[in-house]
Amino acid sequence: MAMMQFELVSPERKLASVEASEVQIPGAEGDFTAMPDHAPVITTLRPGYLKVVSASGTEEFFVTGGFAEVSSEGTTVLAERAYTRADMTPELTAELVAEAEAAHKDAGTDASAKLVADMASGVAL
């Protein structure tokens, strides 16, 4: 099975650095799966779960936003904030949704409303 290097980093820490066969990415323009030899692309992320498939199994991480770069060398995700699936407690989930709602209240834009909807649906998965 073909593999590619995958890196997930946030400002606080590096969450993953593994050889992966696929990475399912919550792109702002739609979800997609990066695989070895994928066409190069850079995209923004929406809040949601990123899934990494490697020889040791599937790992899931919740990202609040950021960027993903897919290249011939692998896939790198630079997340605004990222958490393991195990980190996603009901308390953290409620905190993230409340932060998105407060940002929408301050901004009052269509983009901030979409952020609230994405955050609420993303953490619910």
Side-chain angles (χ1 to χ4, degrees):
M1 177 185 307
M3 302 296 270
M4 66 179 171
Q5 183 62 33
F6 169 73
E7 305 280 334
L8 171 60
V9 295
S10 72
E12 295 85 27
R13 62 188 169 148
K14 181 184 283 190
L15 283 93
S17 179
V18 299
E19 288 288 316
S21 59
E22 67 180 75
V23 181
Q24 297 173 20
I25 299 171
E29 299 299 318
D31 296 355
F32 69 98
T33 301
M35 300 176 79
D37 299 321
H38 191 284
V41 66
I42 296 176
T43 187
T44 54
L45 303 175
R46 65 167 178 76
Y49 280 95
L50 182 137
K51 297 178 185 176
V52 182
V53 179
S54 67
S56 61
T58 301
E59 291 182 87
E60 294 182 82
F61 302 91
F62 184 79
V63 295
T64 61
F67 298 91
E69 177 184 18
V70 180
S71 71
S72 60
E73 297 165 13
T75 298
T76 302
V77 173
L78 305 172
E80 291 172 355
R81 289 192 279 176
Y83 306 92
T84 65
R85 170 67 93 165
D87 289 339
M88 294 304 295
T89 63
E91 295 79 18
L92 178 57
T93 298
E95 179 182 322
L96 292 172
V97 171
E99 287 175 10
E101 289 171 341
H104 173 56
K105 183 177 179 184
D106 289 343
T109 65
D110 290 344
S112 63
K114 182 173 180 345
L115 174 64
V116 171
D118 286 347
M119 187 68 73
S121 67
V123 295
L125 297 177

PDB file of all heavy atoms in Angstrom, residues 75-114:
ATOM      1  N   THR A  75       1.113  15.400   3.185  1.00  0.00           N
ATOM      2  CA  THR A  75       0.042  16.307   3.573  1.00  0.00           C
ATOM      3  C   THR A  75       0.386  16.938   4.906  1.00  0.00           C
ATOM      4  O   THR A  75       0.721  16.233   5.868  1.00  0.00           O
ATOM      5  CB  THR A  75      -1.299  15.559   3.678  1.00  0.00           C
ATOM      6  OG1 THR A  75      -1.622  15.025   2.388  1.00  0.00           O
ATOM      7  CG2 THR A  75      -2.422  16.472   4.134  1.00  0.00           C
ATOM      8  N   THR A  76       0.295  18.260   4.951  1.00  0.00           N
ATOM      9  CA  THR A  76       0.553  19.004   6.181  1.00  0.00           C
ATOM     10  C   THR A  76      -0.680  19.827   6.511  1.00  0.00           C
ATOM     11  O   THR A  76      -1.217  20.520   5.648  1.00  0.00           O
ATOM     12  CB  THR A  76       1.764  19.945   6.020  1.00  0.00           C
ATOM     13  OG1 THR A  76       2.907  19.163   5.663  1.00  0.00           O
ATOM     14  CG2 THR A  76       2.049  20.707   7.304  1.00  0.00           C
ATOM     15  N   VAL A  77      -1.122  19.737   7.764  1.00  0.00           N
ATOM     16  CA  VAL A  77      -2.250  20.533   8.231  1.00  0.00           C
ATOM     17  C   VAL A  77      -1.750  21.464   9.327  1.00  0.00           C
ATOM     18  O   VAL A  77      -1.158  21.014  10.312  1.00  0.00           O
ATOM     19  CB  VAL A  77      -3.401  19.649   8.757  1.00  0.00           C
ATOM     20  CG1 VAL A  77      -4.481  20.497   9.404  1.00  0.00           C
ATOM     21  CG2 VAL A  77      -3.980  18.820   7.620  1.00  0.00           C
ATOM     22  N   LEU A  78      -1.976  22.761   9.111  1.00  0.00           N
ATOM     23  CA  LEU A  78      -1.659  23.786  10.098  1.00  0.00           C
ATOM     24  C   LEU A  78      -2.997  24.244  10.663  1.00  0.00           C
ATOM     25  O   LEU A  78      -3.738  24.978  10.002  1.00  0.00           O
ATOM     26  CB  LEU A  78      -0.913  24.949   9.456  1.00  0.00           C
ATOM     27  CG  LEU A  78       0.361  24.570   8.706  1.00  0.00           C
ATOM     28  CD1 LEU A  78       0.907  25.772   7.952  1.00  0.00           C
ATOM     29  CD2 LEU A  78       1.392  23.996   9.652  1.00  0.00           C
ATOM     30  N   ALA A  79      -3.313  23.779  11.851  1.00  0.00           N
ATOM     31  CA  ALA A  79      -4.626  24.031  12.441  1.00  0.00           C
ATOM     32  C   ALA A  79      -4.594  25.222  13.387  1.00  0.00           C
ATOM     33  O   ALA A  79      -3.611  25.428  14.094  1.00  0.00           O
ATOM     34  CB  ALA A  79      -5.090  22.793  13.203  1.00  0.00           C
ATOM     35  N   GLU A  80      -5.677  26.014  13.367  1.00  0.00           N
ATOM     36  CA  GLU A  80      -5.810  27.085  14.357  1.00  0.00           C
ATOM     37  C   GLU A  80      -5.773  26.480  15.752  1.00  0.00           C
ATOM     38  O   GLU A  80      -5.033  26.916  16.611  1.00  0.00           O
ATOM     39  CB  GLU A  80      -7.130  27.829  14.159  1.00  0.00           C
ATOM     40  CG  GLU A  80      -7.191  28.647  12.902  1.00  0.00           C
ATOM     41  CD  GLU A  80      -8.586  29.217  12.647  1.00  0.00           C
ATOM     42  OE1 GLU A  80      -9.536  28.901  13.397  1.00  0.00           O
ATOM     43  OE2 GLU A  80      -8.708  29.985  11.680  1.00  0.00           O
ATOM     44  N   ARG A  81      -6.611  25.485  15.942  1.00  0.00           N
ATOM     45  CA  ARG A  81      -6.617  24.663  17.156  1.00  0.00           C
ATOM     46  C   ARG A  81      -6.970  23.248  16.739  1.00  0.00           C
ATOM     47  O   ARG A  81      -7.771  23.051  15.829  1.00  0.00           O
ATOM     48  CB  ARG A  81      -7.636  25.168  18.178  1.00  0.00           C
ATOM     49  CG  ARG A  81      -7.205  26.477  18.801  1.00  0.00           C
ATOM     50  CD  ARG A  81      -8.041  26.833  19.988  1.00  0.00           C
ATOM     51  NE  ARG A  81      -9.295  27.438  19.526  1.00  0.00           N
ATOM     52  CZ  ARG A  81     -10.279  27.799  20.340  1.00  0.00           C
ATOM     53  NH1 ARG A  81     -10.190  27.591  21.623  1.00  0.00           N
ATOM     54  NH2 ARG A  81     -11.359  28.348  19.849  1.00  0.00           N
ATOM     55  N   ALA A  82      -6.383  22.280  17.417  1.00  0.00           N
ATOM     56  CA  ALA A  82      -6.653  20.878  17.089  1.00  0.00           C
ATOM     57  C   ALA A  82      -6.681  20.060  18.376  1.00  0.00           C
ATOM     58  O   ALA A  82      -5.932  20.329  19.313  1.00  0.00           O
ATOM     59  CB  ALA A  82      -5.587  20.342  16.144  1.00  0.00           C
ATOM     60  N   TYR A  83      -7.565  19.073  18.382  1.00  0.00           N
ATOM     61  CA  TYR A  83      -7.761  18.217  19.551  1.00  0.00           C
ATOM     62  C   TYR A  83      -7.907  16.779  19.081  1.00  0.00           C
ATOM     63  O   TYR A  83      -8.468  16.526  18.021  1.00  0.00           O
ATOM     64  CB  TYR A  83      -9.048  18.613  20.298  1.00  0.00           C
ATOM     65  CG  TYR A  83      -9.110  20.072  20.666  1.00  0.00           C
ATOM     66  CD1 TYR A  83      -9.702  21.005  19.823  1.00  0.00           C
ATOM     67  CD2 TYR A  83      -8.559  20.523  21.857  1.00  0.00           C
ATOM     68  CE1 TYR A  83      -9.759  22.346  20.154  1.00  0.00           C
ATOM     69  CE2 TYR A  83      -8.614  21.868  22.202  1.00  0.00           C
ATOM     70  CZ  TYR A  83      -9.208  22.777  21.345  1.00  0.00           C
ATOM     71  OH  TYR A  83      -9.253  24.103  21.667  1.00  0.00           O
ATOM     72  N   THR A  84      -7.456  15.839  19.897  1.00  0.00           N
ATOM     73  CA  THR A  84      -7.710  14.437  19.596  1.00  0.00           C
ATOM     74  C   THR A  84      -9.192  14.162  19.833  1.00  0.00           C
ATOM     75  O   THR A  84      -9.873  14.919  20.530  1.00  0.00           O
ATOM     76  CB  THR A  84      -6.878  13.493  20.477  1.00  0.00           C
ATOM     77  OG1 THR A  84      -7.298  13.654  21.845  1.00  0.00           O
ATOM     78  CG2 THR A  84      -5.385  13.769  20.349  1.00  0.00           C
ATOM     79  N   ARG A  85      -9.690  13.085  19.277  1.00  0.00           N
ATOM     80  CA  ARG A  85     -11.097  12.705  19.492  1.00  0.00           C
ATOM     81  C   ARG A  85     -11.360  12.548  20.994  1.00  0.00           C
ATOM     82  O   ARG A  85     -12.394  12.992  21.491  1.00  0.00           O
ATOM     83  CB  ARG A  85     -11.394  11.415  18.733  1.00  0.00           C
ATOM     84  CG  ARG A  85     -12.730  10.758  19.034  1.00  0.00           C
ATOM     85  CD  ARG A  85     -13.896  11.563  18.578  1.00  0.00           C
ATOM     86  NE  ARG A  85     -14.331  11.198  17.247  1.00  0.00           N
ATOM     87  CZ  ARG A  85     -15.494  11.549  16.746  1.00  0.00           C
ATOM     88  NH1 ARG A  85     -16.346  12.248  17.461  1.00  0.00           N
ATOM     89  NH2 ARG A  85     -15.803  11.241  15.526  1.00  0.00           N
ATOM     90  N   ALA A  86     -10.401  11.982  21.717  1.00  0.00           N
ATOM     91  CA  ALA A  86     -10.572  11.770  23.159  1.00  0.00           C
ATOM     92  C   ALA A  86     -10.652  13.089  23.925  1.00  0.00           C
ATOM     93  O   ALA A  86     -11.279  13.155  24.983  1.00  0.00           O
ATOM     94  CB  ALA A  86      -9.425  10.916  23.698  1.00  0.00           C
ATOM     95  N   ASP A  87     -10.022  14.152  23.409  1.00  0.00           N
ATOM     96  CA  ASP A  87     -10.066  15.464  24.058  1.00  0.00           C
ATOM     97  C   ASP A  87     -11.440  16.109  23.986  1.00  0.00           C
ATOM     98  O   ASP A  87     -11.756  17.016  24.752  1.00  0.00           O
ATOM     99  CB  ASP A  87      -9.079  16.441  23.401  1.00  0.00           C
ATOM    100  CG  ASP A  87      -7.628  16.120  23.677  1.00  0.00           C
ATOM    101  OD1 ASP A  87      -7.330  15.422  24.660  1.00  0.00           O
ATOM    102  OD2 ASP A  87      -6.776  16.576  22.876  1.00  0.00           O
ATOM    103  N   MET A  88     -12.270  15.684  23.039  1.00  0.00           N
ATOM    104  CA  MET A  88     -13.532  16.356  22.760  1.00  0.00           C
ATOM    105  C   MET A  88     -14.619  15.962  23.767  1.00  0.00           C
ATOM    106  O   MET A  88     -15.521  15.200  23.475  1.00  0.00           O
ATOM    107  CB  MET A  88     -13.984  16.074  21.328  1.00  0.00           C
ATOM    108  CG  MET A  88     -13.059  16.662  20.279  1.00  0.00           C
ATOM    109  SD  MET A  88     -12.810  18.440  20.443  1.00  0.00           S
ATOM    110  CE  MET A  88     -14.453  19.045  20.126  1.00  0.00           C
ATOM    111  N   THR A  89     -14.506  16.538  24.959  1.00  0.00           N
ATOM    112  CA  THR A  89     -15.489  16.314  26.018  1.00  0.00           C
ATOM    113  C   THR A  89     -16.717  17.184  25.759  1.00  0.00           C
ATOM    114  O   THR A  89     -16.643  18.161  24.999  1.00  0.00           O
ATOM    115  CB  THR A  89     -14.892  16.685  27.386  1.00  0.00           C
ATOM    116  OG1 THR A  89     -14.589  18.100  27.369  1.00  0.00           O
ATOM    117  CG2 THR A  89     -13.644  15.876  27.690  1.00  0.00           C
ATOM    118  N   PRO A  90     -17.835  16.888  26.398  1.00  0.00           N
ATOM    119  CA  PRO A  90     -19.006  17.759  26.253  1.00  0.00           C
ATOM    120  C   PRO A  90     -18.705  19.204  26.681  1.00  0.00           C
ATOM    121  O   PRO A  90     -19.213  20.148  26.075  1.00  0.00           O
ATOM    122  CB  PRO A  90     -20.051  17.111  27.162  1.00  0.00           C
ATOM    123  CG  PRO A  90     -19.664  15.664  27.187  1.00  0.00           C
ATOM    124  CD  PRO A  90     -18.162  15.661  27.142  1.00  0.00           C
ATOM    125  N   GLU A  91     -17.854  19.375  27.685  1.00  0.00           N
ATOM    126  CA  GLU A  91     -17.510  20.712  28.155  1.00  0.00           C
ATOM    127  C   GLU A  91     -16.720  21.486  27.089  1.00  0.00           C
ATOM    128  O   GLU A  91     -16.999  22.663  26.828  1.00  0.00           O
ATOM    129  CB  GLU A  91     -16.699  20.640  29.457  1.00  0.00           C
ATOM    130  CG  GLU A  91     -17.457  20.076  30.630  1.00  0.00           C
ATOM    131  CD  GLU A  91     -17.560  18.533  30.632  1.00  0.00           C
ATOM    132  OE1 GLU A  91     -16.779  17.863  29.923  1.00  0.00           O
ATOM    133  OE2 GLU A  91     -18.443  18.011  31.326  1.00  0.00           O
ATOM    134  N   LEU A  92     -15.724  20.831  26.483  1.00  0.00           N
ATOM    135  CA  LEU A  92     -14.937  21.477  25.437  1.00  0.00           C
ATOM    136  C   LEU A  92     -15.804  21.774  24.222  1.00  0.00           C
ATOM    137  O   LEU A  92     -15.712  22.851  23.630  1.00  0.00           O
ATOM    138  CB  LEU A  92     -13.731  20.619  25.038  1.00  0.00           C
ATOM    139  CG  LEU A  92     -12.859  21.186  23.915  1.00  0.00           C
ATOM    140  CD1 LEU A  92     -12.330  22.575  24.265  1.00  0.00           C
ATOM    141  CD2 LEU A  92     -11.725  20.227  23.601  1.00  0.00           C
ATOM    142  N   THR A  93     -16.668  20.847  23.868  1.00  0.00           N
ATOM    143  CA  THR A  93     -17.578  21.045  22.750  1.00  0.00           C
ATOM    144  C   THR A  93     -18.444  22.279  22.978  1.00  0.00           C
ATOM    145  O   THR A  93     -18.563  23.144  22.105  1.00  0.00           O
ATOM    146  CB  THR A  93     -18.458  19.798  22.554  1.00  0.00           C
ATOM    147  OG1 THR A  93     -17.612  18.694  22.244  1.00  0.00           O
ATOM    148  CG2 THR A  93     -19.471  19.990  21.449  1.00  0.00           C
ATOM    149  N   ALA A  94     -19.022  22.393  24.161  1.00  0.00           N
ATOM    150  CA  ALA A  94     -19.874  23.544  24.483  1.00  0.00           C
ATOM    151  C   ALA A  94     -19.059  24.837  24.458  1.00  0.00           C
ATOM    152  O   ALA A  94     -19.548  25.876  23.975  1.00  0.00           O
ATOM    153  CB  ALA A  94     -20.515  23.348  25.852  1.00  0.00           C
ATOM    154  N   GLU A  95     -17.825  24.796  24.924  1.00  0.00           N
ATOM    155  CA  GLU A  95     -16.957  25.972  24.924  1.00  0.00           C
ATOM    156  C   GLU A  95     -16.655  26.443  23.492  1.00  0.00           C
ATOM    157  O   GLU A  95     -16.721  27.641  23.192  1.00  0.00           O
ATOM    158  CB  GLU A  95     -15.658  25.642  25.647  1.00  0.00           C
ATOM    159  CG  GLU A  95     -14.653  26.778  25.698  1.00  0.00           C
ATOM    160  CD  GLU A  95     -13.362  26.353  26.382  1.00  0.00           C
ATOM    161  OE1 GLU A  95     -13.420  25.588  27.370  1.00  0.00           O
ATOM    162  OE2 GLU A  95     -12.306  26.794  25.912  1.00  0.00           O
ATOM    163  N   LEU A  96     -16.339  25.502  22.613  1.00  0.00           N
ATOM    164  CA  LEU A  96     -16.029  25.859  21.221  1.00  0.00           C
ATOM    165  C   LEU A  96     -17.234  26.460  20.508  1.00  0.00           C
ATOM    166  O   LEU A  96     -17.104  27.443  19.775  1.00  0.00           O
ATOM    167  CB  LEU A  96     -15.508  24.633  20.466  1.00  0.00           C
ATOM    168  CG  LEU A  96     -14.142  24.119  20.907  1.00  0.00           C
ATOM    169  CD1 LEU A  96     -13.834  22.787  20.225  1.00  0.00           C
ATOM    170  CD2 LEU A  96     -13.056  25.136  20.634  1.00  0.00           C
ATOM    171  N   VAL A  97     -18.401  25.878  20.720  1.00  0.00           N
ATOM    172  CA  VAL A  97     -19.621  26.412  20.099  1.00  0.00           C
ATOM    173  C   VAL A  97     -19.934  27.798  20.670  1.00  0.00           C
ATOM    174  O   VAL A  97     -20.280  28.726  19.926  1.00  0.00           O
ATOM    175  CB  VAL A  97     -20.810  25.443  20.273  1.00  0.00           C
ATOM    176  CG1 VAL A  97     -22.113  26.084  19.817  1.00  0.00           C
ATOM    177  CG2 VAL A  97     -20.552  24.149  19.506  1.00  0.00           C
ATOM    178  N   ALA A  98     -19.774  27.973  21.985  1.00  0.00           N
ATOM    179  CA  ALA A  98     -20.034  29.281  22.610  1.00  0.00           C
ATOM    180  C   ALA A  98     -19.080  30.343  22.066  1.00  0.00           C
ATOM    181  O   ALA A  98     -19.492  31.489  21.822  1.00  0.00           O
ATOM    182  CB  ALA A  98     -19.911  29.171  24.128  1.00  0.00           C
ATOM    183  N   GLU A  99     -17.819  29.994  21.852  1.00  0.00           N
ATOM    184  CA  GLU A  99     -16.856  30.938  21.277  1.00  0.00           C
ATOM    185  C   GLU A  99     -17.277  31.341  19.864  1.00  0.00           C
ATOM    186  O   GLU A  99     -17.188  32.519  19.497  1.00  0.00           O
ATOM    187  CB  GLU A  99     -15.457  30.339  21.252  1.00  0.00           C
ATOM    188  CG  GLU A  99     -14.795  30.260  22.600  1.00  0.00           C
ATOM    189  CD  GLU A  99     -13.446  29.554  22.544  1.00  0.00           C
ATOM    190  OE1 GLU A  99     -12.918  29.271  21.440  1.00  0.00           O
ATOM    191  OE2 GLU A  99     -12.899  29.284  23.633  1.00  0.00           O
ATOM    192  N   ALA A 100     -17.715  30.380  19.066  1.00  0.00           N
ATOM    193  CA  ALA A 100     -18.159  30.682  17.701  1.00  0.00           C
ATOM    194  C   ALA A 100     -19.399  31.567  17.730  1.00  0.00           C
ATOM    195  O   ALA A 100     -19.513  32.517  16.939  1.00  0.00           O
ATOM    196  CB  ALA A 100     -18.428  29.387  16.935  1.00  0.00           C
ATOM    197  N   GLU A 101     -20.318  31.297  18.648  1.00  0.00           N
ATOM    198  CA  GLU A 101     -21.527  32.116  18.759  1.00  0.00           C
ATOM    199  C   GLU A 101     -21.187  33.539  19.194  1.00  0.00           C
ATOM    200  O   GLU A 101     -21.760  34.508  18.689  1.00  0.00           O
ATOM    201  CB  GLU A 101     -22.519  31.470  19.726  1.00  0.00           C
ATOM    202  CG  GLU A 101     -23.152  30.225  19.157  1.00  0.00           C
ATOM    203  CD  GLU A 101     -23.989  29.432  20.156  1.00  0.00           C
ATOM    204  OE1 GLU A 101     -23.812  29.614  21.388  1.00  0.00           O
ATOM    205  OE2 GLU A 101     -24.811  28.618  19.702  1.00  0.00           O
ATOM    206  N   ALA A 102     -20.233  33.704  20.120  1.00  0.00           N
ATOM    207  CA  ALA A 102     -19.819  35.034  20.568  1.00  0.00           C
ATOM    208  C   ALA A 102     -19.162  35.800  19.420  1.00  0.00           C
ATOM    209  O   ALA A 102     -19.407  37.004  19.245  1.00  0.00           O
ATOM    210  CB  ALA A 102     -18.865  34.922  21.755  1.00  0.00           C
ATOM    211  N   ALA A 103     -18.346  35.109  18.616  1.00  0.00           N
ATOM    212  CA  ALA A 103     -17.709  35.755  17.467  1.00  0.00           C
ATOM    213  C   ALA A 103     -18.768  36.202  16.462  1.00  0.00           C
ATOM    214  O   ALA A 103     -18.663  37.285  15.877  1.00  0.00           O
ATOM    215  CB  ALA A 103     -16.709  34.807  16.811  1.00  0.00           C
ATOM    216  N   HIS A 104     -19.795  35.390  16.272  1.00  0.00           N
ATOM    217  CA  HIS A 104     -20.885  35.758  15.354  1.00  0.00           C
ATOM    218  C   HIS A 104     -21.648  36.967  15.886  1.00  0.00           C
ATOM    219  O   HIS A 104     -21.993  37.881  15.132  1.00  0.00           O
ATOM    220  CB  HIS A 104     -21.826  34.582  15.146  1.00  0.00           C
ATOM    221  CG  HIS A 104     -23.050  34.939  14.349  1.00  0.00           C
ATOM    222  ND1 HIS A 104     -22.983  35.504  13.097  1.00  0.00           N
ATOM    223  CD2 HIS A 104     -24.369  34.838  14.642  1.00  0.00           C
ATOM    224  CE1 HIS A 104     -24.204  35.729  12.649  1.00  0.00           C
ATOM    225  NE2 HIS A 104     -25.061  35.335  13.574  1.00  0.00           N
ATOM    226  N   LYS A 105     -21.885  36.979  17.175  1.00  0.00           N
ATOM    227  CA  LYS A 105     -22.616  38.106  17.773  1.00  0.00           C
ATOM    228  C   LYS A 105     -21.842  39.404  17.549  1.00  0.00           C
ATOM    229  O   LYS A 105     -22.426  40.435  17.232  1.00  0.00           O
ATOM    230  CB  LYS A 105     -22.832  37.862  19.261  1.00  0.00           C
ATOM    231  CG  LYS A 105     -23.643  38.937  19.945  1.00  0.00           C
ATOM    232  CD  LYS A 105     -23.885  38.610  21.399  1.00  0.00           C
ATOM    233  CE  LYS A 105     -24.678  39.728  22.057  1.00  0.00           C
ATOM    234  NZ  LYS A 105     -24.857  39.509  23.483  1.00  0.00           N
ATOM    235  N   ASP A 106     -20.512  39.351  17.695  1.00  0.00           N
ATOM    236  CA  ASP A 106     -19.676  40.540  17.491  1.00  0.00           C
ATOM    237  C   ASP A 106     -19.615  40.942  16.024  1.00  0.00           C
ATOM    238  O   ASP A 106     -19.656  42.116  15.694  1.00  0.00           O
ATOM    239  CB  ASP A 106     -18.252  40.298  18.006  1.00  0.00           C
ATOM    240  CG  ASP A 106     -18.186  40.230  19.529  1.00  0.00           C
ATOM    241  OD1 ASP A 106     -19.152  40.673  20.186  1.00  0.00           O
ATOM    242  OD2 ASP A 106     -17.177  39.730  20.046  1.00  0.00           O
ATOM    243  N   ALA A 107     -19.491  39.948  15.128  1.00  0.00           N
ATOM    244  CA  ALA A 107     -19.310  40.241  13.704  1.00  0.00           C
ATOM    245  C   ALA A 107     -20.637  40.398  12.971  1.00  0.00           C
ATOM    246  O   ALA A 107     -20.792  41.277  12.132  1.00  0.00           O
ATOM    247  CB  ALA A 107     -18.480  39.151  13.037  1.00  0.00           C
ATOM    248  N   GLY A 108     -21.562  39.490  13.237  1.00  0.00           N
ATOM    249  CA  GLY A 108     -22.878  39.550  12.609  1.00  0.00           C
ATOM    250  C   GLY A 108     -22.878  39.373  11.103  1.00  0.00           C
ATOM    251  O   GLY A 108     -23.760  39.879  10.427  1.00  0.00           O
ATOM    252  N   THR A 109     -21.903  38.637  10.582  1.00  0.00           N
ATOM    253  CA  THR A 109     -21.814  38.443   9.135  1.00  0.00           C
ATOM    254  C   THR A 109     -22.293  37.057   8.734  1.00  0.00           C
ATOM    255  O   THR A 109     -22.448  36.174   9.573  1.00  0.00           O
ATOM    256  CB  THR A 109     -20.352  38.605   8.655  1.00  0.00           C
ATOM    257  OG1 THR A 109     -19.572  37.553   9.239  1.00  0.00           O
ATOM    258  CG2 THR A 109     -19.779  39.951   9.058  1.00  0.00           C
ATOM    259  N   ASP A 110     -22.497  36.881   7.426  1.00  0.00           N
ATOM    260  CA  ASP A 110     -22.850  35.556   6.921  1.00  0.00           C
ATOM    261  C   ASP A 110     -21.733  34.558   7.202  1.00  0.00           C
ATOM    262  O   ASP A 110     -21.990  33.398   7.522  1.00  0.00           O
ATOM    263  CB  ASP A 110     -23.130  35.603   5.414  1.00  0.00           C
ATOM    264  CG  ASP A 110     -24.420  36.328   5.082  1.00  0.00           C
ATOM    265  OD1 ASP A 110     -25.251  36.525   5.991  1.00  0.00           O
ATOM    266  OD2 ASP A 110     -24.600  36.695   3.904  1.00  0.00           O
ATOM    267  N   ALA A 111     -20.477  35.012   7.081  1.00  0.00           N
ATOM    268  CA  ALA A 111     -19.337  34.124   7.331  1.00  0.00           C
ATOM    269  C   ALA A 111     -19.304  33.671   8.780  1.00  0.00           C
ATOM    270  O   ALA A 111     -19.012  32.510   9.072  1.00  0.00           O
ATOM    271  CB  ALA A 111     -18.029  34.820   6.964  1.00  0.00           C
ATOM    272  N   SER A 112     -19.609  34.589   9.707  1.00  0.00           N
ATOM    273  CA  SER A 112     -19.592  34.195  11.116  1.00  0.00           C
ATOM    274  C   SER A 112     -20.768  33.272  11.437  1.00  0.00           C
ATOM    275  O   SER A 112     -20.654  32.378  12.279  1.00  0.00           O
ATOM    276  CB  SER A 112     -19.576  35.416  12.035  1.00  0.00           C
ATOM    277  OG  SER A 112     -20.753  36.189  11.891  1.00  0.00           O
ATOM    278  N   ALA A 113     -21.902  33.455  10.756  1.00  0.00           N
ATOM    279  CA  ALA A 113     -23.029  32.549  10.945  1.00  0.00           C
ATOM    280  C   ALA A 113     -22.680  31.152  10.448  1.00  0.00           C
ATOM    281  O   ALA A 113     -23.023  30.144  11.073  1.00  0.00           O
ATOM    282  CB  ALA A 113     -24.262  33.073  10.209  1.00  0.00           C
ATOM    283  N   LYS A 114     -21.952  31.089   9.312  1.00  0.00           N
ATOM    284  CA  LYS A 114     -21.529  29.795   8.784  1.00  0.00           C
ATOM    285  C   LYS A 114     -20.546  29.117   9.742  1.00  0.00           C
ATOM    286  O   LYS A 114     -20.608  27.914   9.946  1.00  0.00           O
ATOM    287  CB  LYS A 114     -20.895  29.950   7.413  1.00  0.00           C
ATOM    288  CG  LYS A 114     -20.483  28.612   6.794  1.00  0.00           C
ATOM    289  CD  LYS A 114     -20.025  28.771   5.377  1.00  0.00           C
ATOM    290  CE  LYS A 114     -19.597  27.492   4.702  1.00  0.00           C
ATOM    291  NZ  LYS A 114     -19.338  26.327   5.481  1.00  0.00           N
TER     292      LYS A 114
END
